[in-house]
Amino acid sequence: MAQTNYRLCVILILHFQNTMKKGSPAQVVTIVADFDRTLTKYIHKGHVCATCHYVLEEGSLPELYKEKARTLRDTYFPIETNPKLSVEEKIPKMIEWWTKSHGLLETCEISRDSIQHCVSSSTAKLRDGCSWFFDELKKYEVPVLIFSAGIGDIIEEVIKQQSTMHDNMHIVSNYMKFNEKGQMTGFQNAIIHVYNKNENAIHDSAYFQNIEHKTSMILMGDSLGDLHMADGAEVDHKLKIGFLNTRVEESLELYKKKYDIVLVEDETLDVPNNLLRSILER
Ligand code: C5P
Ligand code: MG
C-alpha cells in the first residue's frame, strides 16, 4: 500500500524530468539509500528477515553471545521504532545499543573468512526488484550512496551474493577492523547508529562533497533518522521515499508528514523502480 502526497510527488517528478534536460542522469541525479529494511526486506514469507547485525547472530557465534544480543534487541528495537519518543530521547539509547552490541561482537573472534557463509546461510534478503534498481542506476551512471548503521562488510557480501555491487555504488557504514590473522578486533570508525546519520564527521567525507552539486536526489529510508542522511547536501529537489515496515498504525501519520511517499508493508522496490523508469527512460 502506498500513501502519497500526490500533488507534491507529481510536482517533484516533473522537476526531476525537467532536470534531465539540463544534463545526463549522471550529472543531475543522485540516490541516497539506507540498507537494512530499506534495500532489504523486513518480512519474507511470513518471517522477519535479518539485519546486518542479526546476520552474525544467525551464524555460528557462541550461544551466550546470541542470548545477550537478543536481549539487547528486545530492549532497544522497541525504543528505536517508538513514534512517541523524541529523537533526543532515543539517541542515548541507540548509542548504548550499538556500543554494547559492538562490544559483544569483539569478544566473538569472528574471522573475515566466516562472513561469506554467515551471509549465505542468513535470512537477509534484498527486496524484490533490487537488482533491477542497481542495474538501472549503473546503466545511467547515477551515483548511489548506501548509508547504513548496519555493518559495511555484511552489506557488501549481501549485495555480492544476491545482486551486483557496481562501481557507481558507495557504502558508508560501520566497517569491521581485522588483525593480521583475519580476526575481527573492533570497528574502524566512530559508531554510525540510526539517529546520527546527520553528523558532520560523516558528511565531511569526500563522497558527500561529490553529491552536493547534483540538482535532484531520491532519498530512501525506513527510519525517521534516515531523513537526515543527506543533510547539508544542497540539492534543488529531494524526493523522500519511506518504507514503513512495523508499528504501522501508530507511525503512519508521522511518516506521511516526513516522507513524500510512504510504502506500507511493501517488500518490493516496485514504486522506486517505476519512478526511475519515468525519470530515466523517457
Ligand atoms: O541500514 P540501517 O541504517 O537501517 O541499519 C540499522 C538497523 O540495524 C537498525 O534499524 C537496527 O534495528 C538494526 N540493528 C540490529 N542489531 C544491532 C544494531 C542495529 O538489528 N545490534
Ligand atoms: Mg533501515
Side-chain angles (χ1 to χ4, degrees):
M1 179 178 52
Q3 299 278 330
T4 311
N5 179 341
Y6 282 106
R7 198 168 160 272
L8 180 72
C9 286
V10 170
I11 292 170
L12 275 168
I13 291 165
L14 288 175
H15 276 310
F16 271 64
Q17 290 174 340
N18 276 334
T19 57
M20 289 299 146
K21 293 175 192 147
K22 295 182 192 152
S24 69
Q27 289 167 324
V28 295
V29 189
T30 187
I31 308 284
V32 178
D34 166 59
F35 187 72
D36 285 319
R37 277 85 192 258
T38 294
L39 294 178
T40 60
K41 296 184 181 200
Y42 182 61
I43 302 265
H44 181 64
K45 294 186 177 162
H47 296 284
V48 174
C49 295
T51 58
C52 294
H53 288 83
Y54 196 72
V55 162
L56 297 171
E57 284 164 53
E58 288 181 322
S60 54
L61 296 183
E63 275 313 311
L64 186 62
Y65 162 80
K66 292 186 184 184
E67 208 180 294
K68 287 183 179 169
R70 205 174 307 125
T71 309
L72 288 178
R73 181 166 297 98
D74 291 347
T75 308
Y76 292 106
F77 186 64
I79 299 175
E80 178 192 341
T81 52
N82 186 343
K84 294 197 176 72
L85 292 176
S86 69
V87 169
E88 289 69 32
E89 287 170 298
K90 290 179 185 190
I91 285 175
K93 298 290 175 195
M94 295 300 105
I95 295 173
E96 250 173 56
W97 185 12
W98 263 255
T99 306
K100 286 180 184 169
S101 73
H102 286 190
L104 271 179
L105 283 173
E106 285 169 30
T107 66
C108 290
E109 300 180 345
I110 297 167
S111 74
R112 200 200 304 262
D113 294 342
S114 66
I115 289 178
Q116 194 181 347
H117 182 252
C118 273
V119 169
S120 63
S121 58
S122 78
T123 58
K125 214 156 182 2
L126 291 176
R127 283 181 191 270
D128 299 333
C130 196
S131 283
W132 189 89
F133 178 78
F134 289 155
D135 293 348
E136 180 79 353
L137 293 166
K138 168 63 189 165
K139 187 162 124 194
Y140 291 91
E141 293 293 348
V142 172
V144 180
L145 171 64
I146 298 174
F147 189 178
S148 168
I151 301 173
D153 313 73
I154 306 280
I155 296 173
E156 285 185 14
E157 193 57 37
V158 172
I159 295 177
K160 203 166 106 190
Q161 291 185 16
Q162 300 181 20
S163 182
T164 311
M165 181 79 195
H166 297 294
D167 59 8
N168 60 322
M169 293 159 62
H170 183 87
I171 298 171
V172 172
S173 187
N174 301 300
Y175 270 90
M176 293 177 178
K177 207 160 57 183
F178 295 94
N179 64 17
E180 64 290 345
K181 290 185 197 137
Q183 279 187 332
M184 191 259 201
T185 56
F187 282 84
Q188 291 179 19
N189 295 307
I191 286 169
I192 300 176
H193 60 78
V194 263
Y195 293 106
N196 73 346
K197 291 188 177 182
N198 58 338
E199 278 182 6
N200 291 340
I202 306 167
H203 289 210
D204 279 347
S205 74
Y207 189 81
F208 274 87
Q209 281 149 27
N210 179 32
I211 62 173
E212 271 172 23
H213 59 269
K214 306 284 181 227
T215 38
S216 300
M217 175 184 291
I218 298 177
L219 179 144
M220 294 160 54
D222 73 300
S223 150
L224 296 177
D226 296 331
L227 286 157
H228 301 286
M229 291 189 292
D231 281 7
E234 289 186 13
V235 290
D236 297 338
H237 318 294
K238 193 193 286 177
L239 180 69
K240 302 181 286 303
I241 305 177
F243 291 86
L244 179 52
N245 302 309
T246 181
R247 301 179 82 149
V248 172
E249 266 180 39
E250 4 164 22
S251 308
L252 185 58
E253 280 315 306
L254 190 56
Y255 270 62
K256 278 167 68 178
K257 269 194 206 126
K258 304 277 185 181
Y259 280 102
D260 305 316
I261 299 176
V262 181
L263 301 170
V264 180
E265 294 174 341
D266 176 350
E267 305 301 339
T268 74
L269 283 186
D270 290 352
V271 170
N273 283 350
N274 282 328
L275 197 81
L276 287 184
R277 259 184 217 106
S278 75
I279 295 168
L280 300 174
E281 297 188 351
R282 309 177 59 231

